[in-house]
Short mmCIF file of all heavy atoms in Angstrom, two decimals:
data_model
loop_
_atom_site.label_atom_id
_atom_site.label_comp_id
_atom_site.label_asym_id
_atom_site.label_seq_id
_atom_site.Cartn_x
_atom_site.Cartn_y
_atom_site.Cartn_z
N TRP A 151 12.66 0.14 12.10
CA TRP A 151 11.51 0.92 11.64
C TRP A 151 10.72 1.56 12.74
O TRP A 151 9.92 2.53 12.53
CB TRP A 151 10.60 0.26 10.71
CG TRP A 151 11.29 -0.20 9.45
CD1 TRP A 151 12.58 0.23 9.07
CD2 TRP A 151 10.83 -1.29 8.53
NE1 TRP A 151 12.87 -0.43 7.80
CE2 TRP A 151 11.76 -1.26 7.38
CE3 TRP A 151 9.73 -2.09 8.49
CZ2 TRP A 151 11.71 -2.19 6.42
CZ3 TRP A 151 9.63 -2.91 7.38
CH2 TRP A 151 10.46 -2.93 6.30
N GLY A 152 10.74 1.05 13.92
CA GLY A 152 9.96 1.59 15.09
C GLY A 152 8.57 1.87 14.78
O GLY A 152 7.82 1.05 14.20
N GLU A 153 8.18 3.05 15.28
CA GLU A 153 6.76 3.52 15.18
C GLU A 153 6.16 3.76 13.71
O GLU A 153 5.08 3.79 13.45
CB GLU A 153 6.61 4.80 15.90
CG GLU A 153 7.26 6.00 15.29
CD GLU A 153 7.07 7.23 15.94
OE1 GLU A 153 5.91 7.47 16.60
OE2 GLU A 153 7.95 8.09 15.82
N TYR A 154 7.10 3.70 12.83
CA TYR A 154 6.74 3.83 11.31
C TYR A 154 6.34 2.53 10.74
O TYR A 154 5.56 2.61 9.68
CB TYR A 154 7.89 4.25 10.47
CG TYR A 154 8.39 5.77 10.95
CD1 TYR A 154 9.18 6.03 11.94
CD2 TYR A 154 7.62 6.87 10.43
CE1 TYR A 154 9.57 7.24 12.35
CE2 TYR A 154 7.88 8.09 10.75
CZ TYR A 154 8.99 8.35 11.82
OH TYR A 154 9.23 9.53 12.26
N PHE A 155 6.58 1.46 11.36
CA PHE A 155 5.78 0.09 10.94
C PHE A 155 4.59 0.05 11.67
O PHE A 155 4.55 -0.11 12.83
CB PHE A 155 6.70 -1.00 11.15
CG PHE A 155 6.21 -2.23 10.47
CD1 PHE A 155 6.13 -2.44 9.07
CD2 PHE A 155 5.63 -3.28 11.08
CE1 PHE A 155 5.63 -3.51 8.35
CE2 PHE A 155 5.07 -4.49 10.63
CZ PHE A 155 5.11 -4.46 9.15
N GLN A 156 3.45 0.07 10.99
CA GLN A 156 2.16 0.11 11.47
C GLN A 156 1.15 -0.95 10.99
O GLN A 156 1.37 -1.48 10.02
CB GLN A 156 1.57 1.40 11.20
CG GLN A 156 2.31 2.64 11.68
CD GLN A 156 1.85 3.84 11.08
OE1 GLN A 156 0.89 4.43 11.41
NE2 GLN A 156 2.66 4.35 10.08
N VAL A 157 0.11 -1.27 11.77
CA VAL A 157 -0.84 -2.27 11.41
C VAL A 157 -2.23 -1.67 11.72
O VAL A 157 -2.47 -0.86 12.64
CB VAL A 157 -0.59 -3.42 12.31
CG1 VAL A 157 -1.90 -4.45 12.32
CG2 VAL A 157 0.50 -4.15 12.09
N ARG A 158 -3.04 -2.03 10.68
CA ARG A 158 -4.55 -1.73 10.83
C ARG A 158 -5.38 -2.98 10.90
O ARG A 158 -5.25 -3.84 9.94
CB ARG A 158 -5.04 -0.80 9.60
CG ARG A 158 -6.54 -0.61 9.58
CD ARG A 158 -7.08 0.10 10.79
NE ARG A 158 -8.22 0.77 10.42
CZ ARG A 158 -9.52 0.15 10.45
NH1 ARG A 158 -9.68 -1.20 10.85
NH2 ARG A 158 -10.64 0.82 10.26
N THR A 159 -5.85 -3.43 11.99
CA THR A 159 -6.68 -4.71 12.07
C THR A 159 -7.91 -4.51 11.60
O THR A 159 -8.42 -3.36 11.41
CB THR A 159 -6.77 -4.99 13.54
OG1 THR A 159 -7.49 -3.95 14.22
CG2 THR A 159 -5.34 -5.32 14.15
N LEU A 160 -8.50 -5.59 10.95
CA LEU A 160 -9.79 -5.66 10.27
C LEU A 160 -10.72 -6.48 11.07
O LEU A 160 -10.29 -7.25 12.07
CB LEU A 160 -9.55 -6.06 8.75
CG LEU A 160 -8.71 -5.20 7.99
CD1 LEU A 160 -8.35 -5.65 6.65
CD2 LEU A 160 -9.22 -3.69 7.85
N THR A 161 -11.93 -6.72 10.55
CA THR A 161 -12.91 -7.66 11.21
C THR A 161 -12.51 -9.04 11.47
O THR A 161 -12.70 -9.50 12.62
CB THR A 161 -14.18 -7.51 10.37
OG1 THR A 161 -14.65 -6.22 10.10
CG2 THR A 161 -15.32 -8.29 11.07
N ALA A 162 -11.68 -9.59 10.62
CA ALA A 162 -11.37 -11.11 10.77
C ALA A 162 -10.12 -11.16 11.69
O ALA A 162 -9.74 -12.18 12.01
CB ALA A 162 -11.01 -11.55 9.41
N HIS A 163 -9.63 -10.13 12.27
CA HIS A 163 -8.34 -10.09 13.12
C HIS A 163 -8.75 -10.73 14.48
O HIS A 163 -9.87 -10.62 14.97
CB HIS A 163 -7.82 -8.62 13.35
CG HIS A 163 -6.70 -8.64 14.23
ND1 HIS A 163 -6.84 -8.47 15.60
CD2 HIS A 163 -5.33 -8.99 14.05
CE1 HIS A 163 -5.61 -8.47 16.16
NE2 HIS A 163 -4.69 -8.79 15.23
N THR A 164 -7.81 -11.56 14.95
CA THR A 164 -7.91 -12.12 16.29
C THR A 164 -6.57 -11.62 16.99
O THR A 164 -5.51 -11.68 16.40
CB THR A 164 -8.02 -13.57 16.42
OG1 THR A 164 -6.82 -14.20 15.78
CG2 THR A 164 -9.30 -14.09 15.69
N PRO A 165 -6.69 -11.29 18.19
CA PRO A 165 -5.48 -10.98 19.04
C PRO A 165 -4.30 -11.94 19.09
O PRO A 165 -3.24 -11.61 19.40
CB PRO A 165 -5.95 -10.76 20.52
CG PRO A 165 -7.41 -10.35 20.27
CD PRO A 165 -7.93 -11.21 19.10
N ALA A 166 -4.68 -13.29 18.87
CA ALA A 166 -3.70 -14.30 18.88
C ALA A 166 -2.60 -14.15 17.75
O ALA A 166 -1.67 -14.78 17.72
CB ALA A 166 -4.36 -15.66 18.81
N LEU A 167 -3.04 -13.28 16.72
CA LEU A 167 -2.16 -13.30 15.47
C LEU A 167 -1.15 -12.29 15.83
O LEU A 167 -1.08 -11.12 15.93
CB LEU A 167 -3.05 -12.63 14.33
CG LEU A 167 -2.21 -12.39 12.96
CD1 LEU A 167 -1.52 -13.61 12.56
CD2 LEU A 167 -3.26 -11.81 12.00
N GLN A 168 0.03 -12.94 16.20
CA GLN A 168 1.34 -12.12 16.58
C GLN A 168 2.47 -12.74 16.01
O GLN A 168 2.50 -13.99 15.63
CB GLN A 168 1.47 -12.19 18.14
CG GLN A 168 0.32 -11.42 18.70
CD GLN A 168 0.48 -11.28 20.28
OE1 GLN A 168 1.61 -11.52 20.82
NE2 GLN A 168 -0.56 -10.86 20.87
N GLY A 169 3.50 -12.06 15.80
CA GLY A 169 4.80 -12.55 15.24
C GLY A 169 5.42 -11.52 14.35
O GLY A 169 5.08 -10.35 14.38
#
Side-chain angles (χ1 to χ4, degrees):
W151 294 348
E153 68 178 331
Y154 293 94
F155 188 71
Q156 302 163 73
V157 168
R158 171 61 158 85
T159 60
L160 302 173
T161 305
H163 178 262
T164 62
L167 179 55
Q168 297 185 8

